[in-house]
């Protein structure tokens, strides 16, 4: 983003479609326009009020202490127990018979767990952890498949003040042992394995190899899920022989509002993983409020389904802490969307009458590619609200989601946030905002966001630049585990007194925000900074394209030339005519400056394990370089398959 004479980031894509909420939906919405007003008048009073959604054993003295910026303290002096807020209080309120989790195993086995049952199991697990010598402040690594015990283990840690670090169950021995060592964890909670893609996939073996390298680990607690053979050491204990025999009575202790709740390592596309630290009171306040406001949560009638893995922040905030703090009924699914068939998600929506579905653009684009006829075979009429998170959602994918999944009526909330922000920061309010395909639209009440240029000056309507956060927020990260300097340098050094998130964004003429991808991926073409998102969205708006990734490859004439990798919708047509049509389509949609130099038809794209496109590796291909680090790829063989199957089109 070097050129000072040009816009910080070009604004090329125009969107005229807009969908106001249905009158009935708007009338019954949890949060309405006055929330913006209220928060604007007194931001801290607004958050003070939201913190009262929770049960505290000691009220806070001050809402915010920012005197040691950028290290924030929220609800200073307050005390609470996070697990009590997510479980016990719903039982005490008479909702113990309400289903907390409808769990669906990949092979089709299922379990339903009421709040009464959840309470008993969390208490047993808390007693067991205490028996194993885990105390408040100790770190526990959780390396699990998507089974209820993953959430139970997290809540058990929270209940006794232990700090959990959930490591995604697909990570390698290296990744797991790095994270155990970085946190100095005393215990690992895992399972023999989980079911994925139709077969048992082992976890215990990875834990065994990692624990061998980590002498801080004293005990390993193992849930039996697949019943596959596992090796056993003196540190290992079965969940069903320990937790299941423990007492279901447990007296929760109160912890300081700033007591650490968890560490979560960002997916770490490069470099040493960052252990993002979250604490208790502020985190729970904002996850609870945003689940209530953005998902319009109606705990006595909704069935909420967040399809993320608990290994990502989305699973922490919108499977465990947000929904459970609100007493929600949820679906939790173990497996992949195409096992045993491509209608699996819609079968689950139909079976549990899911009302609120929260998924990632990568999944939505995949469903689009698989075809409309698949969801059409199921009754999806229970869905009343849809959400998206993880990447910018291309307008065409948004429209498909609305029409084919949401029956043309369910509002879509495109939610922007990060591991670091802890909860949703930018999103429509579904009963208030007229939604626009592809735009995350507005900061939530109480959140201050700005798009700025190189000199930290706010860009006006129609301008693009860096997405920044101006004021501290309750669920913000409190630092990077063990590395305060890195925290300051990574997030607070690009602009003075502004948190810089790493993402580019623009403001349209209505003032709505559009996320434009990571600034590291921005392409510099003939002096214009062009976002990957806009070019990809233009490609996806062509009827033959399901998914696209673009990168800037060095070009002797233009500085960088745009190289596009495209996954077809239906039959692939990689004739020169068709590829040239795609290039022209982008030029017509966004202007000639954004015309790709080259379009390549591919069968798949390199993605991180949380489903985000890894453009860095595509840049290596486009520039014909040796491939960089591929260890965080979901499937490391994808790169050679892409290289083998490339069909190229460029006519200059
Ligand atoms: P790492 O920081 O280790 O590279 P990551 O950024 O992918 O990993 P997350 O914290 O899970 O890890 O993802 C946050 C990022 O995801 C955001 O900074 C943004 O780039 C992208 N993102 C999330 N939600 C949206 C959204 N609704 N629209 C656009 N981008 C989004
Ligand atoms: Mg990030």
């Amino acid at each position: 983003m070097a050129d000072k004479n040009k816009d910080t980031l070009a604004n090329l894509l125009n969107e005229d479609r807009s969908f106001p909420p249905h009158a009935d939906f708007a009338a019954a919405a949890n949060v309405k326009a006055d929330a913006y007003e209220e928060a604007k008048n007194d931001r801290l009073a607004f958050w003070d009020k939201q913190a009262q959604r929770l049960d505290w054993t000691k009220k806070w003295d001050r809402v915010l202490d920012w005197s040691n910026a950028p290290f924030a303290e929220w609800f200073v002096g307050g005390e609470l127990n996070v697990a009590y807020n997510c479980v016990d209080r719903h039982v005490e309120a008479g909702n113990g018979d309400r289903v907390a989790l409808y769990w669906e195993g990949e092979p089709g086995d299922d379990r339903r767990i009421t709040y009464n049952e959840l309470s008993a199991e969390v208490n047993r697990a808390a007693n067991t952890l205490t028996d194993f010598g885990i105390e408040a402040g100790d770190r526990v690594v959780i390396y699990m498949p998507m089974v209820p015990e993953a959430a139970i283990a997290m809540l058990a840690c929270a209940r006794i003040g232990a700090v959990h670090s959930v490591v995604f169950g697909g990570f390698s021995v290296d990744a797991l042992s790095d994270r155990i060592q970085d946190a100095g964890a005393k215990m690992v909670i895992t399972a023999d394995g989980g079911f994925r893609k139709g077969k048992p996939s082992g976890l215990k073996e990875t834990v065994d190899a990692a624990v061998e390298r980590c002498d801080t680990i004293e005990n390993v607690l193992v849930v039996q899920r697949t019943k596959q053979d596992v090796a056993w050491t003196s540190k290992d204990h079965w969940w069903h022989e320990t937790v299941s025999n423990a007492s279901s009575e447990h007296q929760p202790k109160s912890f300081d509002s700033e007591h650490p709740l968890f560490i979560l390592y960002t997916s770490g596309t490069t470099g040493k993983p960052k252990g993002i630290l979250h604490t208790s009171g502020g985190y729970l306040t904002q996850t609870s409020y945003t689940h209530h406001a953005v998902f319009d949560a109606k705990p006595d009638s909704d069935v909420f389904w967040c399809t993320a893995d608990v290994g990502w922040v989305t699973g922490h905030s919108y499977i465990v802490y947000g929904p459970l703090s609100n007493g929600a009924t949820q679906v939790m699914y173990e497996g992949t969307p195409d096992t045993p068939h491509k209608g699996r998600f819609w079968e689950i929506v139909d079976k549990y009458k899911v009302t609120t579905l929260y998924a990632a653009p990568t999944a939505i684009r995949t469903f689009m590619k698989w075809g409309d006829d698949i969801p059409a075979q199921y009754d999806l009429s229970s869905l009343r609200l849809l959400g998206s998170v993880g990447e910018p959602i291309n307008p065409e994918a948004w429209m498909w989601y609305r029409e084919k999944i949401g029956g043309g009526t369910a509002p879509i909330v495109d939610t922007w946030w990060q591991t670091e922000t802890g909860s949703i920061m930018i999103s429509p309010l579904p009963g208030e905002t007229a939604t626009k395909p592809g735009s995350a639209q507005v900061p939530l009440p109480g959140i201050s966001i700005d798009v700025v240029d190189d000199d930290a000056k706010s860009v006006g309507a129609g301008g693009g630049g860096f997405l920044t956060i101006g004021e501290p927020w309750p669920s913000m990260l409190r630092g990077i585990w063990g590395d305060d300097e890195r925290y300051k340098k990574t997030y607070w050094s690009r602009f003075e007194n502004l948190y810089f998130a790493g993402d580019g964004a623009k403001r349209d003429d209505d003032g709505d925000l559009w996320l434009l991808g990571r600034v590291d991926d921005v392409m510099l073409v003939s002096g214009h900074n062009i976002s990957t998102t806009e070019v990809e969205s233009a490609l996806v708006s062509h009827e033959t394209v399901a998914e696209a990734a673009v990168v800037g490859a060095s070009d002797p004439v233009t500085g960088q030339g745009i190289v596009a990798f495209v996954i077809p919708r239906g039959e692939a047509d990689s004739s020169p005519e068709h590829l040239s049509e795609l290039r022209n389509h982008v030029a017509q949609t966004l202007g000639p400056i954004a015309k790709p130099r080259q379009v390549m038809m591919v069968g798949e794209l390199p993605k991180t394990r949380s489903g985000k496109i890894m453009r860095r590796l595509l840049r290596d291909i486009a520039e014909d370089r040796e491939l960089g680090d591929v260890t965080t790829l979901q499937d490391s063989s994808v790169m050679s398959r892409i290289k083998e199957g490339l069909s190229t089109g460029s006519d200059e």
Side-chain angles (χ1 to χ4, degrees):
M1 313 250 290
D3 198 322
K4 295 245 171 183
N5 304 318
K6 294 281 183 343
D7 283 344
T8 302
L9 198 50
N11 171 8
L12 302 173
L13 190 79
N14 261 316
E15 180 57 66
D16 308 320
R17 292 168 289 193
S18 168
F19 301 93
H22 216 265
D24 298 344
F25 193 109
N30 286 352
V31 178
K32 305 196 170 123
D34 56 335
Y36 295 114
E37 224 20 63
E38 198 187 325
K40 212 169 112 199
N41 290 339
D42 190 341
R43 207 173 65 86
L44 294 184
F46 173 82
W47 284 119
D48 185 288
K49 181 170 151 194
Q50 304 319 325
Q52 295 170 41
R53 303 177 55 75
L54 307 178
D55 285 0
W56 299 73
T57 50
K58 180 166 171 278
K59 166 106 188 179
W60 53 95
D61 313 309
R62 283 171 73 190
V63 176
L64 169 67
D65 183 351
W66 189 231
S67 59
N68 188 28
F71 299 91
E73 292 188 21
W74 280 87
F75 311 112
V76 185
E79 291 181 4
L80 79 173
N81 185 288
V82 167
Y84 171 86
N85 274 280
C86 293
V87 186
D88 310 46
R89 65 171 179 154
H90 308 310
V91 174
E92 286 169 19
N95 295 319
D97 291 332
R98 182 185 292 165
V99 173
L101 290 176
Y102 286 114
W103 177 80
E104 176 86 9
E106 195 187 71
D109 49 337
D110 58 20
R111 286 163 69 184
R112 50 149 65 199
I113 299 175
T114 63
Y115 274 95
N116 275 330
E117 291 161 344
L118 184 64
S119 169
E121 194 69 2
V122 169
N123 288 353
R124 288 187 200 106
N127 283 321
T128 307
L129 295 186
T130 304
D131 290 344
F132 282 128
I134 301 297
E135 290 172 9
D138 286 346
R139 276 80 61 206
V140 174
V141 164
I142 298 176
Y143 183 75
M144 300 272 268
M146 283 288 284
V147 292
E149 284 77 7
I152 291 163
M154 290 162 78
L155 292 166
C157 288
R159 194 169 182 94
I160 62 171
V163 183
H164 60 71
S165 164
V166 182
V167 178
F168 174 63
F171 276 139
S172 64
V173 176
D174 285 342
L176 178 60
S177 56
D178 282 354
R179 286 158 177 73
I180 293 173
Q181 284 163 5
D182 188 65
K186 274 175 85 170
M187 182 165 184
V188 179
I189 306 180
T190 187
D192 49 358
F195 287 98
R196 277 196 88 70
K197 299 192 200 296
K199 49 177 195 288
S201 147
L203 292 175
K204 174 74 168 46
E205 218 177 318
T206 308
V207 172
D208 291 345
V211 167
E212 220 159 87
R213 299 183 198 168
C214 304
D215 47 21
T216 54
I217 297 296
E218 296 168 359
N219 291 290
V220 177
L221 184 57
V222 189
V223 173
Q224 191 171 45
R225 163 63 183 142
T226 58
K227 303 208 160 93
Q228 64 200 105
D229 283 338
V230 290
W232 211 248
T233 77
S234 58
K235 291 183 179 179
D236 297 335
H237 312 272
W238 285 114
W239 180 287
H240 60 269
E241 291 175 355
T242 51
V243 177
S244 304
N245 298 330
S247 161
S248 61
E249 300 293 319
H250 183 272
Q251 207 47 44
K253 278 207 199 80
S254 302
F255 295 98
D256 191 89
S257 176
E258 285 299 333
H259 186 78
L261 180 64
F262 66 85
I263 305 169
L264 182 60
Y265 293 83
T266 51
S267 55
T269 40
T270 48
K272 181 169 174 271
K274 300 186 287 268
I276 303 299
L277 174 66
H278 283 285
T279 59
S280 303
Y283 172 80
L284 197 64
T285 295
Q286 196 176 332
T287 50
S288 177
Y289 173 69
T290 50
H291 175 253
H292 168 79
V294 174
F295 296 108
D296 192 43
K298 307 273 198 281
D300 46 10
S301 54
D302 276 352
V303 177
F304 182 74
W305 183 19
C306 165
T307 64
D309 192 280
V310 286
W312 311 123
V313 72
T314 308
H316 283 57
S317 301
Y318 299 104
I319 295 177
V320 181
Y321 295 109
L324 294 179
S325 69
N326 291 330
T329 296
Q330 295 187 81
V331 169
M332 183 178 188
Y333 173 53
E334 178 181 37
T336 48
D338 54 353
T339 309
H341 57 80
K342 291 189 165 113
R344 191 70 169 110
F345 268 32
W346 318 122
E347 183 180 71
I348 292 172
V349 168
D350 195 344
K351 175 172 174 181
Y352 296 105
K353 303 293 165 223
V354 171
T355 59
T356 317
L357 178 70
Y358 192 28
T362 181
I364 297 159
R365 292 185 301 248
T366 303
F367 298 137
M368 226 169 113
K369 182 174 70 186
W370 288 345
D372 305 356
D373 51 318
I374 297 173
Q377 292 160 25
Y378 299 89
D379 179 6
L380 306 181
S381 62
S382 56
L383 287 170
R384 66 177 196 93
L385 177 61
L386 304 174
S388 171
V389 62
E391 286 181 297
I393 177 164
N394 317 104
E396 279 328 297
W398 193 103
M399 287 304 298
W400 186 90
Y401 197 24
R402 179 177 166 93
E403 279 162 14
K404 306 299 175 200
I405 306 304
T409 53
I412 297 179
V413 286
D414 175 10
T415 62
W416 178 87
W417 58 296
Q418 308 177 295
T419 307
E420 293 88 340
T421 69
S423 5
I424 298 169
M425 301 293 278
I426 307 176
S427 166
L429 283 180
E432 186 55 43
T433 318
T435 52
K436 268 182 209 171
S439 171
Q441 298 195 292
V442 279
L444 286 178
I447 299 297
S448 66
I449 301 264
D450 202 0
V451 181
V452 303
D453 64 15
D454 273 309
D455 304 319
K457 277 213 285 301
S458 195
V459 304
F466 304 92
L467 187 77
T468 60
I469 308 176
E471 300 283 350
W473 61 103
S475 66
M476 70 190 286
L477 75 165
R478 298 305 196 261
I480 294 177
W481 182 257
D483 200 342
D484 287 352
E485 277 315 304
R486 190 171 178 207
Y487 166 63
K488 288 194 240 175
K489 196 161 154 271
T490 309
Y491 303 104
W492 299 92
S493 65
R494 178 68 181 78
F495 302 105
E496 204 176 330
N497 299 328
L498 289 180
Y499 169 91
F500 172 51
D503 288 337
K506 70 175 186 185
R507 232 188 254 289
D508 68 14
D509 292 335
D510 304 325
D512 284 324
L513 294 168
W514 294 72
L515 274 301
L516 296 182
R518 290 157 200 267
V519 295
D520 297 345
D521 290 333
V522 165
M523 305 172 289
L524 186 61
V525 183
S526 305
H528 296 269
N529 285 305
I530 301 190
S531 89
T532 50
T533 304
E534 293 202 315
V535 180
E536 288 163 5
S537 289
L539 283 162
V540 175
S541 76
H542 192 278
E543 62 193 10
T544 63
V545 176
E547 182 150 31
V550 304
V551 297
S554 56
D555 186 289
V557 182
T558 54
Q560 283 189 323
I562 300 178
V563 177
F565 297 80
V566 165
I567 298 182
R569 211 167 154 171
E571 270 307 287
D573 172 3
S574 43
S575 65
E577 296 73 34
H578 182 236
L579 296 176
S580 145
E581 182 185 323
L582 293 179
R583 295 173 55 238
N584 290 330
H585 174 74
V586 175
Q588 274 155 22
T589 314
L590 302 178
I593 185 72
K595 184 175 180 174
R597 182 182 79 185
Q598 211 175 342
V599 174
M600 311 195 196
M601 216 36 106
V602 293
E604 50 200 321
L605 290 168
K607 299 207 171 143
T608 65
R609 288 158 199 271
S610 60
K612 299 180 194 201
I613 299 171
M614 265 171 92
R615 293 177 188 76
R616 164 172 77 74
L617 295 175
L618 294 172
R619 208 146 47 220
D620 291 344
I621 293 192
E623 296 185 335
D624 213 10
R625 253 198 316 271
E626 196 66 9
L627 282 184
D629 183 7
V630 295
T631 49
T632 52
L633 270 181
Q634 184 179 17
D635 168 5
S636 54
S637 57
V638 65
M639 293 313 293
S640 47
R641 285 201 298 279
I642 291 175
K643 277 182 147 175
E644 275 159 25
L646 281 183
S647 7
T648 323
S650 63
D651 49 32
E652 272 134 351

